[in-house]
Amino acid sequence: TPRNRLIRGTIELRLWREAVFARDNWMCQECGRRGDRLNAHHIKPFAEYPELRTSIDNGVTLCRVCHIELHKLNIK
């Protein structure tokens, strides 16, 4: 939603993303890829758990490919 887009653009979420990447050593925790095209994935869904949106423990670093595959599995 537009509201979620606004929230995702906040400094708090940007800092959360960077902290998740740093904790995971800038490496996809699924396949081990490093570097660019990384995504910080919320383990418990962003929309359903607003209280966990900036909890580093609720994040994991995934490469773009693994992130897409994870969401495909969640849809089925």
Side-chain angles (χ1 to χ4, degrees):
T1 65
R3 185 170 185 267
N4 275 349
R5 282 194 199 109
L6 283 174
I7 294 167
R8 287 180 187 271
T10 64
I11 189 68
E12 291 84 8
L13 263 289
R14 289 184 206 165
L15 292 172
W16 170 81
R17 182 176 178 263
E18 292 296 316
V20 170
F21 290 162
R23 183 205 58 212
D24 293 340
N25 201 24
W26 300 86
M27 181 171 39
C28 176
Q29 298 301 293
E30 187 66 28
C31 72
R33 286 188 185 124
R34 286 187 176 277
D36 64 353
R37 307 300 301 236
L38 295 176
N39 296 163
H41 171 73
H42 283 92
I43 298 164
K44 294 202 179 209
F46 181 88
E48 295 174 32
Y49 296 88
E51 70 279 9
L52 298 177
R53 288 178 179 166
T54 58
S55 171
I56 296 169
D57 292 335
N58 187 40
V60 64
T61 301
L62 299 173
C63 70
R64 186 172 186 269
V65 172
C66 289
H67 196 203
I68 289 169
E69 290 302 313
L70 177 72
H71 282 282
K72 283 182 186 176
L73 291 174
N74 288 339
I75 291 172
K76 293 180 181 180

